[in-house]
Amino acid sequence: MNQDAHSLTLAEIATRLGAELRGNGAQRVNGLATLRDAGPEHITFLANRAYLKDLADTRAAAVLLHSSHAQSCPVASLTLANPYLGYAELSRLFDPLANRESAGVHPSAVVAEDARLGEGVSVGPQAVIESGVVLGDGVIVGPGCVVGADTRIGADSRLHANVTLYHGVIIGARAILHSGCVIGGDGFGFAHDGKGWHKIAQLGGVVLGDDVEVGSCSSIDRGALGDTLIGDDVKIDSQVQIAHNVQIGEHSALAGCVGIAGSTRVGRHCMLGGGVGLSGHLTICDGVQVTGMSLVTNSIHEPGIYSSGTGAMDNAQWRRNAVRFKQLDDIARRLSRLEKAERGA
Amino acid sequence: MNQDAHSLTLAEIATRLGAELRGNGAQRVNGLATLRDAGPEHITFLANRAYLKDLADTRAAAVLLHSSHAQSCPVASLTLANPYLGYAELSRLFDPLANRESAGVHPSAVVAEDARLGEGVSVGPQAVIESGVVLGDGVIVGPGCVVGADTRIGADSRLHANVTLYHGVIIGARAILHSGCVIGGDGFGFAHDGKGWHKIAQLGGVVLGDDVEVGSCSSIDRGALGDTLIGDDVKIDSQVQIAHNVQIGEHSALAGCVGIAGSTRVGRHCMLGGGVGLSGHLTICDGVQVTGMSLVTNSIHEPGIYSSGTGAMDNAQWRRNAVRFKQLDDIARRLSRLEKAERGA
Amino acid sequence: MNQDAHSLTLAEIATRLGAELRGNGAQRVNGLATLRDAGPEHITFLANRAYLKDLADTRAAAVLLHSSHAQSCPVASLTLANPYLGYAELSRLFDPLANRESAGVHPSAVVAEDARLGEGVSVGPQAVIESGVVLGDGVIVGPGCVVGADTRIGADSRLHANVTLYHGVIIGARAILHSGCVIGGDGFGFAHDGKGWHKIAQLGGVVLGDDVEVGSCSSIDRGALGDTLIGDDVKIDSQVQIAHNVQIGEHSALAGCVGIAGSTRVGRHCMLGGGVGLSGHLTICDGVQVTGMSLVTNSIHEPGIYSSGTGAMDNAQWRRNAVRFKQLDDIARRLSRLEKAERGA
């Protein structure tokens, strides 16, 4: 990847990050790299003690780190209370996708006459904007995207290539929607007449708050009657399935391959590990973490860490039992021996 | 969502549903909502005892319910033996997507000269219809869809935006295919020569029966030699993976994130919960239900409910064992104590 | 499926496969089918003893098999040391997609002026090739694909319809990318400030080696700083999620619905069963197999077969314990009875 789109002085970076600079503020860097890989044209960072061993040998122009490590830094340093947060901001300074000028509406795009496009909107090649759509200022719609009728997208949101939004979806500001994701497809609703299935038309919508990110190939289904609701600052990874009428509280994060069944409500500040499954019609309170590939079949009313092989339980309890599960055949044989000894006694 | 596309009188609705009306048949409603959310312009329904408590306070114009609850209904009532089935039909009466007139072939679509399009076919913007394709009467192909060469789609089927069908796929009548789904991609077949992989060309196809629905971002792979077969009235949710040469019997339903490995046959009237995995080359008989995230590694020859943490077993058995799994560390410690006591005795 | 695109003589097939022919070399066949389904116009194969029973009754023109079964073959035979490998090669001889002539750049495609297209490149309808892209000789880009800026694709690679490649992705030679797959979307990286999430721009790329296949609707995320790396001859099935900075060694195969969390390194010649999950920051050595739907939360340093219901363990150990898990309630009751007997004694 070419990360050299532009260069910044260390003084500029320190100002943007609110960091304290020690070193030559006029020195320019044109990219960001790890402690090990960084060269003299790069800035790097130390946010995890595990990499402290690499600090002395770095060839970077400067290191962003905590003040407690500044003494050990062999090159220019920028100190911050939370260097990982600083790394996040630094990464965005060198993001080649940021601050692109609007490319306008590509001539190959098909935009309905009554669609309303804000200032600085970009619509990529082969994209389709259906009737009644409203795109806020600075929205970027990538190549091949389809934005269904009456859908509204808030300012500065970005749809990467080949995103699909159905009709009547509402997206907040500053959303990032990755390629292949689908928002607003029908929820999985059918009535059975004893012989076969009758479709329940999915008449609700999907509402995403502000600052939501949705990963590649993820799907968020529209509600059956009310809406599927994704709160502000919710981060959703790739290959995630969110069923109809699910609600996700603000600031929650869902890792890859999570699946949430219909009408389940997830609280605020929750974190679901990769591949976690939540059954339908559950209530998960605020502050719950579920470890990877756990199945949750009951509501959770206490914040904490939950895990399962066979059904969710407290993480510490799970660890003890999982060790014993590996001894289960031995346990059973020992029990049989004891029973025989008892019968013999 | 605007559900107000049109309005109907209660008498019209009663006739369509075959329901018995008590109240003013001339009254018009223009939408469907839940007991709680419905206003005086809406019709609502009661299909689950859990919501009976909301009946007395409903502000709806009318309620669709079972005759046993009609006495408690404070407003007009429509009674049916199966109100949930009635709700399904009612939802379709108010579906803004239903009964759209054909929009014809959009000028930006690319349609092969030899493709055969039935009456009333719609092909959306940026769609691609390859050579030899046959689209039955009333087929709707959404924006950005690609229909591969020689693929045939039955009457009144609908492809939402950005659906991909490979070459030689056969889709029955009244199918609903959601955005991002892919039908006919290569099955995962390779031969190993001791050093690396040699691709096995996937020469079979995919055949979907009538009334099949496939959710967003799901994939159904083509057969290696014979075809992958999906029976009539099979309902497939989002993020589902169906491998080559799988067969799914009529009226079965697969919830989100299910994965079925190659050549497995699933019977009729089966229900697979979210995230269920079936190994390859299995036979699952008619009438099998598998609960969420279970792994099935052996064929199932008896109808029933199956579950697993570690391998599928009968649901009732599984419940007892899963409770004990949480006590496993305690069980092991108690066993050790008994063994010590025995040695001491 | 029409597999009759062309016909070959048995002598031609024997030469191409390096097989020994017994029978009439001038006889023509125009397709490949299973022992049971093959007719007199087909060649078939026997690569699995389970199908030996079908050999005597085959109606095929010829059978590809091991020399040890040639005596039992009622029709012409082609013998090879590894008939399954021969089947792979045979399947490609009858692949209707092989050896297509270039269709050039479709007039509806949007190709950046500075993109460099090798000889014999095909770009399908509605595709988008962004600025700085390099397509090697013989590359096929299917309808609706989007190839992001500065992405490079090696010779003879094929993108089926509606594939999305982000900017700066590198694809080797002879890749096969199936519809709906997305390569180069952002990794899932955020820093938390105690209140909410701050995006970490994903500045790395994705590099695929030669001979890589990626299934429908799979996603491979770009690296945070360095690249996500997929080695030569890696085969990836459908619905797979590969997170940022993952590395997969040469010749490894990942079945459907696998999920691999960030920065995990998988060795060479590994095989991950369907739905397997690997936690982040692990190292999996060469030659590891993990059975379906297992969760791996620790690094693996010994080649072998691993499985889990509750945490990965050796496959043989797992089988014994999984049987006991079904007896767990009984085990616990028997233990309680022993304890009571002990207290009574």
Side-chain angles (χ1 to χ4, degrees), chain A residues 166 199 201 217 321 324 334, chain B residues 91-92 178 239 329 339:
Chain A
Y166 276 63
K199 181 173 176 69
C217 303
N321 290 317
R324 297 299 188 183
R334 285 157 55 202
Chain B
S91 71
R92 297 196 303 271
H178 284 284
Q239 304 281 349
D329 186 49
E339 286 173 320

Side-chain angles (χ1 to χ4, degrees), chain C residues 102-310:
Chain C
S102 169
V105 176
H106 193 275
S108 67
V110 175
V111 179
E113 284 189 15
D114 65 349
R116 285 156 49 198
L117 276 58
E119 290 189 21
V121 163
S122 287
V123 178
Q126 318 288 16
V128 178
I129 310 290
E130 293 190 344
S131 174
V133 166
V134 179
L135 304 181
D137 294 347
V139 164
I140 300 174
V141 175
C145 291
V146 177
V147 181
D150 301 320
T151 281
R152 301 167 62 161
I153 305 180
D156 298 318
S157 287
R158 179 183 187 118
L159 279 60
H160 285 274
N162 283 333
V163 164
T164 309
L165 307 184
Y166 277 62
H167 58 281
V169 169
I170 297 175
I171 309 285
R174 297 173 301 281
I176 300 174
L177 306 184
H178 284 285
S179 296
C181 80
V182 175
I183 301 183
D186 281 352
F188 197 61
F190 302 92
H192 204 276
D193 68 358
K195 296 178 182 169
W197 300 106
H198 294 249
K199 181 172 177 69
I200 296 171
Q202 302 291 301
L203 304 176
V206 179
V207 179
L208 267 64
D210 295 333
D211 300 297
V212 172
E213 183 157 347
V214 180
S216 302
C217 303
S218 287
S219 48
I220 304 177
D221 296 343
R222 68 192 315 110
L225 289 173
D227 295 330
T228 302
L229 300 171
I230 311 296
D232 292 345
D233 196 33
V234 168
K235 307 302 184 185
I236 297 174
D237 199 355
S238 304
Q239 303 282 349
V240 170
Q241 156 64 1
I242 297 181
H244 50 181
N245 298 101
V246 165
Q247 299 182 19
I248 312 281
E250 292 82 358
H251 313 295
S252 287
L254 283 59
C257 307
V258 161
I260 305 183
S263 300
T264 282
R265 297 176 180 211
V266 175
R268 303 166 74 244
H269 297 289
C270 289
M271 294 175 66
L272 305 184
V276 161
L278 307 185
S279 297
H281 298 278
L282 304 184
T283 299
I284 309 297
C285 69
D286 294 353
V288 168
Q289 294 182 35
V290 185
T291 61
M293 289 179 72
S294 296
L295 170 62
V296 180
T297 57
N298 290 296
S299 291
I300 296 178
H301 303 297
E302 294 288 330
I305 303 175
Y306 295 82
S307 303
S308 85
T310 50

Side-chain angles (χ1 to χ4, degrees), chain B residues 114-127:
Chain B
D114 65 350
R116 285 157 47 200
L117 276 58
E119 290 189 22
V121 163
S122 287
V123 177
Q126 319 287 17

